[in-house]
Amino acid sequence: MRARIVVVNLLLGAALVTAIAGAPPPATAIQSVYDVDVAVIGGAPAGIAAALAAARMGASVLLIESGAQLGGVIASAWLTTFDMNLNSRGEHLTQGTFLEFFDRLGISFDPADATREFGRAVVHESGLRTIVDASLLRLRMDGRRIAAADFRETRWGRRFVVRPRLVVDATEDGDIAALAGAPYLIGRDGYRAGERWMQSATLIFRVEGVLWRRLADEIIYAVKQGGSDPRIWGVRGKAAWGFPWEMAHYRPAHPLNLAYPLNLALQRDGSILINSLNLTEVDGLNPASVQAGMARAVAELPRLMAHLRAEVPWFERARLAGHAPALYIRETRHVTGHYTLTVDDIVSGRIFDDRVAVASYPIDIHPYYVGWTNPHPPTMRAYTIPFRAIVPQNVENLLLASRAFSATSEAHGSARVIPTVMALGQAAGVAAALCAQLGCTPLQVVGDPVLMREVQRALIMQGAFLGGRP
């Protein structure tokens, strides 16, 4: 069923204006009301996966993104290399919607190529409508249920209301869950009482003047010498990684900055994106902290470039060609669900009866502060994630589809990556559509093995992998 759109002329009645929230709009403003089965709020890859999955279940879906384009951190932070979930034979453990995009983009890609593919996918999906550049004004609650959400399109100034049966929170920070009253934690406990730590952020930057083929050959040579760990040195398509020793003795200009071994992504124009510069003590929920982190990252780049030219082979003529418009924020909220994924679940390779995703990315925790080191080796272990972890507490008609799902800070170090959260997004979309059709809630799915099997069956029908041999 497609969205039923009711257009209501807003008059100057003060009561109606107040109900819409915010300052009174012009008398000529038009208020659109969208009655939909599923509202997906957030146009990051996981939100796109959720919207596509719900629409393919026959639901009417509205996908709403606050930014000017789809893609989340791919578009804003230039995170253009997928952190893969593979088994020991190199087979994909994350399939379904993620694999559709992987087949089009590869492991590494240009940001513009990804946003174009996301746009094509949502435009051509029946039952799915997308609105970008729309900021949330107000969330209307009916007890523990999200009854409606008010938005404003930034470009046109148009206001609209969404009245969904189910909501998928695909915001990176779990904003909708937090506003709706779901409990959450921020990062992890620090040493001092009340102190919260979050993984370091990163500014990805672009360099020119480096011959990719020569650089890739250098890395391949290091691997073939036998003394280099392929988890630390490697080349796959347009992605490459390595040079840990060259970066280990970098001395940053700012005491809260540090450099990691290089993660490199070849772009179509021959330039290379570099993911290496880590910024500790950035609070991703505090705009002033994020702005300060960006300022010190930009100030660090000239010194870092000088180090690359002096220490890394084939970077002698490298020049800085720009940086991402936003920081890559790795960690903020962990919304409390009906199960919280733990490191023990990952290390033991736990198989949950209500699994909706299979992952294996290593527990990759970037430093909480300078001097902190990750205690977990870069080992890939297959594990599953239960449906209960994407069902937040205290909100009846909400599902999670982002890195803010219910996991400890350490477990989040593995499960935060794009392929994994896209798998969770697909599961959220399928479950939301099923609940809209059957009149149930996500918590009822948690407690009903028959409903849970229906979600899993639908995921498998959509190409998802939930266990066994891929």
Side-chain angles (χ1 to χ4, degrees):
M1 179 181 63
R2 290 184 177 275
R4 300 185 302 275
I5 304 175
V6 181
V7 180
V8 181
N9 289 323
L10 283 183
L11 302 177
L12 293 178
L16 181 57
V17 169
T18 302
I20 297 303
T28 57
I30 299 295
Q31 176 76 14
S32 296
V33 180
Y34 297 88
D35 289 312
V36 294
D37 293 327
V38 180
V40 179
I41 304 177
I48 294 164
L52 292 172
R56 291 169 183 177
M57 290 283 289
S60 59
V61 183
L62 182 60
L63 172 62
I64 307 157
E65 162 59 26
S66 61
Q69 57 186 337
L70 300 176
V73 293
I74 290 177
S76 64
W78 294 355
L79 187 67
T80 58
T81 297
F82 290 131
D83 295 314
M84 302 299 293
N85 293 312
L86 304 172
N87 65 14
S88 59
R89 295 180 293 273
E91 297 167 321
H92 290 278
L93 298 179
T94 308
Q95 299 186 20
T97 306
F98 166 73
L99 198 56
E100 294 177 24
F101 288 102
F102 179 85
D103 288 342
R104 299 173 198 169
L105 295 169
I107 189 172
S108 197
F109 42 86
D110 286 39
D113 292 343
T115 57
R116 183 178 62 251
E117 291 299 332
F118 292 142
R120 284 177 178 172
V122 299
V123 164
H124 292 116
E125 192 63 48
S126 177
L128 170 57
R129 174 169 183 159
T130 303
I131 300 176
V132 299
D133 207 16
S135 56
L136 178 67
L137 299 177
R138 177 186 177 191
L139 204 62
R140 308 188 197 189
M141 301 297 297
D142 180 7
R144 292 190 172 189
R145 180 181 177 277
I146 298 174
D150 299 15
F151 292 87
R152 179 179 181 274
E153 284 188 274
T154 305
R155 182 176 181 184
W156 307 108
R158 181 180 74 99
R159 297 188 179 208
F160 63 93
V161 174
V162 183
R163 297 189 302 208
R165 295 184 180 181
L166 275 296
V167 179
V168 176
D169 182 353
T171 63
E172 298 285 8
D173 302 314
D175 296 333
I176 306 305
L179 286 172
Y184 61 87
L185 294 173
I186 297 175
R188 65 175 289 178
D189 289 331
Y191 288 139
R192 293 183 291 272
E195 186 178 55
R196 306 301 301 179
W197 292 348
M198 287 172 272
Q199 287 190 58
S200 56
T202 286
L203 179 63
I204 296 174
F205 58 99
R206 184 191 303 271
V207 299
E208 295 176 340
V210 178
L211 293 176
W212 176 263
R213 187 65 265 163
R214 298 286 191 179
L215 186 66
D217 288 344
E218 188 79 28
I219 295 173
I220 292 169
Y221 177 78
V223 173
K224 287 182 176 179
Q225 291 306 297
S228 299
D229 189 333
R231 297 171 298 183
I232 300 174
W233 290 82
V235 177
R236 183 177 177 185
K238 295 166 67 177
W241 54 97
F243 305 106
W245 311 121
E246 290 82 350
M247 302 309 297
H249 61 273
Y250 176 68
R251 297 295 176 262
H254 195 286
L256 297 181
N257 297 346
L258 53 91
Y260 255 38
L262 303 182
N263 275 302
L264 309 159
L266 176 64
Q267 302 296 283
R268 191 171 49 249
D269 63 1
S271 65
I272 298 172
L273 299 184
I274 299 181
N275 179 340
S276 172
L277 178 57
N278 280 243
L279 314 160
T280 64
E281 299 188 28
V282 173
D283 182 349
L285 296 176
N286 182 337
S289 178
V290 173
Q291 184 178 13
M294 172 65 86
R296 64 177 156 98
V298 172
E300 187 74 45
L301 289 178
R303 182 184 182 94
L304 182 55
M305 285 298 303
H307 179 83
L308 294 176
R309 283 191 289 265
E311 300 294 334
V312 180
W314 304 105
F315 269 78
E316 295 86 351
R317 298 183 180 181
R319 56 188 178 276
L320 182 65
H323 59 78
L327 296 181
Y328 170 37
I329 303 295
R330 290 184 174 84
E331 181 179 21
T332 52
R333 294 188 185 97
H334 303 292
V335 177
T336 305
H338 289 273
Y339 185 85
T340 299
L341 186 75
T342 68
V343 164
D344 287 343
D345 296 329
I346 294 174
V347 173
S348 66
R350 187 169 177 184
I351 300 175
F352 292 93
D353 289 340
D354 62 337
R355 60 191 176 277
V356 291
V358 182
S360 68
Y361 188 69
I363 302 171
D364 178 25
I365 307 174
H366 285 239
Y368 299 108
Y369 58 86
V370 173
W372 188 92
T373 56
N374 182 9
H376 301 282
T379 304
M380 301 184 81
R381 307 177 182 89
Y383 64 95
T384 65
I385 301 175
F387 177 69
R388 289 165 287 164
I390 65 171
V391 181
Q393 295 184 12
N394 296 351
V395 189
E396 292 180 357
N397 63 335
L398 181 65
L399 287 150
L400 297 165
S402 78
R403 57 175 168 78
F405 85 97
S406 188
T408 65
S409 180
E410 283 190 292
H412 164 274
S414 168
R416 63 182 167 78
V417 298
I418 288 176
T420 303
V421 296
M422 285 189 74
L424 297 178
Q426 186 173 6
V430 163
L434 185 70
C435 285
Q437 292 160 2
L438 299 181
C440 60
T441 67
L443 186 56
Q444 287 173 321
V445 175
V446 167
D448 189 331
V450 174
L451 289 175
M452 190 63 244
R453 283 196 295 271
E454 278 300 302
V455 170
Q456 292 172 323
R457 183 192 65 81
L459 283 170
I460 292 169
M461 291 293 290
Q462 289 192 4
F465 172 67
L466 299 183
R469 180 71 185 269

